[in-house]
Amino acid sequence: MSSCCHSSEKHAPPPDAWGKYVCPMHPEVIADVPGDCPICGMPLEPVGPAPEDHREESDLLRRFLVAAVCTTPLFLLAMSHWLPSGALRSWAESPTSIRVQALLSIPVFWWAGWPFHVKACRSLVARRANMFSLISLGTGAAWFFSAWMLASGGHHHDVYFEASAMIIALALAGQLLEALGRRKAGRALRGLLDLAPPRALRVSEGVEEDVAAESLAAGDIVRIRPGEKIPVDGDVIEGRSDVEEASLTGEPLPVLKEPGLRVMAGTINGTGTLLVRTSRAGRETTLGRVIELVSGAQRSRLPVQNLADRIAEWFVPAVLLVAAVTFLVWAYFSPAYALANAVAVLIIACPCAIGLAVPMSVTVAAGVAAKHGIFVRDAAALQILSRVGTVALDKTGTLTEGRPRVVGIHAETGFSEREVLRMAGAVERASEHPLAGAVLREAVGAGITLESPTDFFSEPGMGVGGVVDGHAVLAGSPRFLGSRGVPVPEGEGIYVSVDGRLAGTILVRDVLRPETPPAVSEMKELGLNVLMLTGDASPSVASVAAEAGILQWHSGLTPLGKADIIREAQARSEVVLMAGDGVNDAPAFAVADVSAAMGAGTDVAKESAGLILLNNHPTALPAAVRLGRATMRNIHRNLFLAFLYNSLGIPIAAGLFYPFTGWLLNPVIAGVAMSLSSVTVIASALTLARALPSTGAAPR
């Protein structure tokens, strides 16, 4: 096992750690093979996709069963004072019975509890005491003291073999439950892994070959048959089919795919056959990136974890000191209780619940977010989301569809709307302007056959012209038509002239997403202040803001201008969430307290963001805020329960209340309480699975 622990600063695993194993509580600890963290003793988690491995749980189950089988009769023998007076009780209290107890305790202490002792020794070497130090020290003190008393001919009341064995059995039960809890919390990641098909049908020079999906590369042609999972990201070059993308985007309805449109790995083909040219395969696909993001988020840390770590660093030495003081005080006043009380302090103070409080909540929350198309790149984003008061939204591609659409056609006298669209569509066929694409899509959707223009020409940013069916056609801005002798009033839209006469106007706008108004309304219900920041300076900005229900908006902003607006909000002590999709949003992302990139956005935007909204729906923003708030409430509850347990348990175990109440804590009961505290924290973390309503988009 190798460690990158060159400083006390906690950090995430480096990019080259993919395929290795890392400690979720101490990310600086990285290993090539599965194992345990030398600092805290927790099992190392895989970085990236890994096959489901039950070896840890199987080993814990075997050790627990052996401990349970040996401890049950051992416990019954030790509880001889419960038996009525007679031969059976006399034998149970005899030296022979004590020797039987010793024999029964050997496989429990030396085999079932061996992993605890190994982890304790590693922590000693690393000079970082942890919960396994307390377990090993407590059970070891009880076992070796009992063995010494047996060799010295001590009475059955002087041995604690049953306490040592019971504590190990209960600790193993707690470890087994933790392992099962981690597996349950990681189901979202394994569900994503299952989306990727292991095989694919590659087409080369007309020959189809069944190959491993991991062997595919960019440029390969893949045939996707009806009902199959798509193995790559790529563009459809042949065929037409509905593709179910709910597993990745949360979109409940199938999406029509035809030549020119993109498909994603892990989605499910419908009833048609598709031929897809691969653009990204393996780890580079959207699914691969999603798996990497979820895996990284589940291992990443919240700032609040540092508080738990700092407390744990002094907590274990403090417990050892309390146990030593407890032993010395009781040895002076009542030696018969000295060892039992000291062991009870060591066992009940195990900080496993404290250690689990934050990582378990983060793991569950990252899985819940993934099921709703929200991918958390850094767990710190969850903590910041809980404090967000202002949401700044880019317009194009975030609130709107990001693809211009024809929203109206006005025809002048002597022309029909269909004729205006036909003429404009013909000359726009050769243009690469985004507005030209909107006109072409509208014409094709209306079933209009477009001719190829002759004598085509264009002026970038102004307009295009050509001859269509013997008529001179111009399409562009008022300035463009005016420069060609066709005077038109200033206004919004694409103006179309035929043979020097104004034929009509085509109004093209970037249409608001249907999910935007409900998302803005929900954010307001959460008490969030909503801003729209856009570089667009067109008159339509105000109408988009009004339609979305946004009262505060800024238009004509440069990328740095967006960042300045966010700084102004932060100067008012507001925590800002910025959502966008383009390169121009990157400066704002860098300034904002937390940022969210739309899944269809640029790579620069996604690399700069703490969250990625794969379904492109702004409704994911209020959902993310709700999840962030729920996660922090859950963490605070877990930490409260863990610290409350220790605050109450340690004084009772030390016998502090004995002079007033007669309360003492048997080490066995302390072991039960220790296990229950971990189970309580795990159960509390798993309630986060209900933090967001189900969308039916859970990974299959």
Side-chain angles (χ1 to χ4, degrees), residues 304-329:
V304 71
Q305 176 69 55
N306 295 329
L307 173 62
D309 284 353
R310 287 196 298 271
I311 292 174
E313 285 179 0
W314 61 259
F315 182 78
V316 173
V319 168
L320 294 175
L321 178 61
V322 170
V325 171
T326 298
F327 179 83
L328 293 175
V329 170

Side-chain angles (χ1 to χ4, degrees), residues 16-87:
D16 60 357
W18 186 268
K20 297 183 183 297
Y21 295 81
V22 65
C23 175
M25 294 176 63
H26 300 91
E28 68 271 23
V29 176
I30 303 171
D32 296 322
V33 295
D36 300 315
C37 174
I39 298 175
C40 65
M42 297 295 289
L44 301 180
E45 299 287 345
V47 180
E52 190 169 354
D53 191 346
H54 299 280
R55 284 179 295 180
E56 178 196 1
E57 296 150 35
S58 299
D59 181 65
L60 286 171
L61 181 59
R62 284 194 301 270
R63 293 180 188 274
F64 170 71
L65 290 176
V66 169
V69 168
C70 293
T71 301
T72 301
L74 173 57
F75 178 78
L76 294 176
L77 288 173
M79 297 298 105
S80 59
H81 57 278
W82 289 355
L83 298 173
S85 300

Side-chain angles (χ1 to χ4, degrees), residues 373 419 544 622:
E419 183 68 8
V544 169

Side-chain angles (χ1 to χ4, degrees), residues 515-598:
E515 305 88 6
T516 295
V520 172
S521 177
E522 187 177 355
M523 283 186 273
K524 290 180 178 178
E525 290 175 2
L526 290 172
L528 302 174
N529 181 37
V530 183
L531 304 176
M532 184 175 77
L533 309 180
T534 178
D536 190 353
S538 69
S540 65
V541 173
S543 62
V544 169
E547 188 179 352
I550 298 175
L551 301 179
Q552 301 179 59
W553 52 272
H554 302 268
S555 61
L557 295 174
T558 64
L560 294 179
K562 292 183 178 182
D564 290 338
I565 297 295
I566 292 175
R567 287 193 184 96
E568 291 175 7
Q570 291 171 326
R572 299 190 295 269
S573 300
E574 298 178 20
V575 177
V576 181
L577 162 64
M578 173 67 193
D581 73 326
V583 174
N584 62 335
D585 296 315
F589 280 5
V591 172
D593 298 280
V594 62
S595 53
M598 309 303 282

